[in-house]
Every structure is written in C-alpha cells, then in structure tokens.
Amino acid sequence: MSVLKLGGAASESNPIAADRLIEGAPIETTVLEYERDGKTFVGEWSATIGAWRVRYDEWEFCHMLEGICELTSDESGETTRFGAGESFVIEPGFVGVWRVIAPMKKRFVIRYD
C-alpha cells in the first residue's frame, strides 16, 4: 500500500468552451496532483463567476474551499447551492448547469468506471 503526499503540481487555466457557456466569461484553473490509469484524478479546481452546461460520465467528490456555486439539474430542475466547507458528490449521468456565484475553489476526486 502506498501513501502519497499531494501538492506542487503545475496549474492550467482556460476559458469555459463557447459551446457550453451560458453567461459571463468564466475562467477555470485545474491543478492535477494525482492520476492513476486514466481513471482516477485528484486535484484542485477553481473558477471565476459565470455559468455553463455540464454533462458527467464520471463520479466526482468535491470539497469547497472558498466561494459559492450552484448546480441545477436538467432532469429535476432542482438547484443546490454549495459554499466553503461543504462537500458533495456528482454522479455519472448528471446533466445541467454549473453556476459560480462567487469565485470558487474546490478539492476534487474524479473516478471513471
């Protein structure tokens, strides 16, 4: 069994793709700290204010470090808001809108089956 200390990875910043953009001009920044077999990813992600469409094929655990975001499900129409200190899981098949209300940063673990 291995234990790995995370940190020190390079970051990559990009605007949200125009075909997914709903409002604003959000920039997302990803720091990938761990990857295994192209199926498991761990790191930190941040974004500026705006909204865009999302479609999940993967499991994602998120822990909010700062800011505020909302996820709105296309299926149910339900909107859930998350802020610093809160954690949540997005399951495969989620389709909807990711909205950043206040610039946010989160830790994530993503797993593709």
Side-chain angles (χ1 to χ4, degrees):
M1 177 189 310
S2 297
V3 176
L4 303 171
K5 184 175 182 178
L6 302 178
S11 67
E12 180 179 319
S13 295
N14 295 296
I16 298 297
D19 63 335
R20 295 174 44 216
L21 190 61
I22 294 173
E23 62 188 42
I27 303 293
E28 63 179 346
T29 301
T30 303
V31 179
L32 185 61
E33 297 178 276
Y34 175 84
E35 181 271 329
R36 177 151 183 133
D37 300 330
K39 291 184 176 244
T40 304
F41 303 87
V42 177
E44 196 169 277
W45 181 87
S46 60
T48 59
I49 294 171
W52 57 93
R53 306 238 9 106
V54 292
R55 175 180 300 274
Y56 275 73
D57 297 322
E58 68 275 17
W59 294 90
E60 182 176 5
F61 167 81
C62 304
H63 178 75
M64 295 285 291
L65 299 173
E66 58 189 55
I68 301 169
C69 71
E70 292 179 341
L71 284 105
T72 302
S73 167
D74 281 0
E75 183 178 330
S76 69
E78 180 181 347
T79 297
T80 308
R81 182 175 280 210
F82 302 99
E86 296 183 296
S87 299
F88 56 98
V89 172
I90 303 170
E91 297 181 342
F94 177 83
V95 177
V97 174
W98 189 295
R99 176 171 277 109
V100 175
I101 308 299
M104 61 161 289
K105 184 184 290 186
K106 67 176 178 161
R107 301 281 303 154
F108 68 84
V109 178
I110 292 174
R111 173 74 185 165
Y112 290 88
D113 289 331

